[in-house]
Amino acid sequence: MTTQTKGKIGILIEEHFDETEYRRFNEFFPEHGYEVEYISNLWNQESLTFKGNDHTEEVTVTVDVKDINLSDYKGIILIGGYAMDRLRYQVLPKPGQPNQSPAVEFLRQAVKEMDLGNLKIGTICHSVWLFCADPELIKGRKVTCAHNIICDVENAGGIVMYNDDGTLSIYVDGNLVTSQHPGVVEEFMEVFLQELEKKNQSTTPALIG
């Protein structure tokens, strides 16, 4: 018997992902009725297995970003750690050519759907790095992130949101939910869930110190 869910959340992942986030995503979202599906660039393989930063967790991924229909997902989350930096890799970069990595191409399509109001996207800690691979994806967007990639985000045209303690814990800009680091993963998941279940998207950005 198939259990009906509220929808599916795709989590983009690669080697050196944050394991705290991985464990909590696997618990929290299914507990609230959402299926979690891990996706990545599989380099033309049927599956790839990735290990986390601490080498205590691993995940085998069978869904390739090139094969995804975004209408199948309610939300996409970019996991933290160093996974998104690895996914920015492109085989043959050329002068003046935007990043052509499969994951960045996927993010371009996801951002289009996000801006149309059809999809929520969430980032945590370093994972907004993937947006920085193509400044057109982040230029003018208000975000928060880990302190050690502030320069990357600002150099790519993103607007980093601060409070007296540094970057904000969580920031919601339209359908984009960004967060600071794994220490705020509980807040991030709660806010992302609230955004997923909103019937009408507010145009007023929300922030949490």
Side-chain angles (χ1 to χ4, degrees):
M1 181 178 176
T2 302
T3 302
Q4 188 171 2
T5 67
K6 296 178 182 177
K8 189 158 56 173
I9 298 172
I11 300 180
L12 193 59
I13 200 165
E14 233 276 7
E15 195 82 356
H16 299 299
F17 60 87
D18 184 272
E19 298 187 19
T20 298
E21 296 163 20
Y22 172 75
R23 287 188 288 268
R24 288 300 293 132
F25 292 163
N26 291 341
E27 296 164 351
F28 180 86
F29 291 113
E31 286 171 0
H32 289 83
Y34 289 87
E35 177 187 352
V36 168
E37 183 170 77
Y38 286 91
I39 59 183
S40 191
N41 175 26
L42 299 184
W43 295 96
N44 300 316
Q45 305 296 308
E46 289 188 4
S47 68
L48 286 175
T49 297
F50 303 117
K51 294 183 182 298
N53 278 338
D54 301 323
H55 299 281
T56 60
E57 299 282 0
E58 65 177 34
V59 58
T60 298
V61 180
T62 60
V63 181
D64 195 297
V65 291
K66 296 190 293 294
D67 300 328
I68 282 174
N69 183 346
L70 283 165
S71 65
D72 293 339
Y73 298 86
K74 296 289 187 181
I76 298 291
I77 293 175
L78 314 185
I79 202 165
Y82 300 101
M84 296 307 111
D85 182 45
R86 293 175 62 85
L87 283 170
R88 298 191 297 183
Y89 176 77
Q90 53 181 330
V91 177
L92 294 172
K94 296 177 182 178
Q97 175 182 271
N99 188 298
Q100 299 295 302
S101 77
V104 175
E105 289 280 18
F106 166 77
L107 184 59
R108 287 189 185 104
Q109 295 305 311
V111 166
K112 286 180 183 177
E113 292 301 312
M114 179 186 77
D115 287 340
L116 289 171
N118 299 328
L119 187 71
K120 308 290 183 180
I121 298 180
T123 72
I124 184 165
C125 198
H126 286 64
S127 69
V128 77
W129 253 344
L130 195 64
F131 277 80
C132 298
D134 181 353
E136 291 301 316
L137 297 176
I138 196 169
K139 184 167 62 178
R141 296 187 192 275
K142 295 178 180 179
V143 300
T144 189
C145 62
H147 289 178
N148 48 337
I149 64 166
I150 288 171
C151 58
D152 303 72
V153 174
E154 292 182 336
N155 287 338
I159 302 167
V160 178
M161 306 303 291
Y162 296 87
N163 63 14
D164 292 339
D165 298 318
T167 57
L168 290 176
S169 298
I170 313 285
Y171 195 81
V172 181
D173 187 357
N175 292 304
L176 177 63
V177 181
T178 56
S179 57
Q180 189 184 42
H181 52 56
V184 300
V185 67
E186 301 300 326
E187 288 177 274
F188 168 71
M189 293 186 300
E190 289 286 355
V191 172
F192 195 75
L193 179 66
Q194 290 168 14
E195 293 299 309
L196 283 178
E197 298 189 342
K198 274 186 179 179
K199 291 185 178 178
N200 297 302
Q201 175 61 52
S202 170
T203 58
T204 303
L207 57 92
I208 299 175

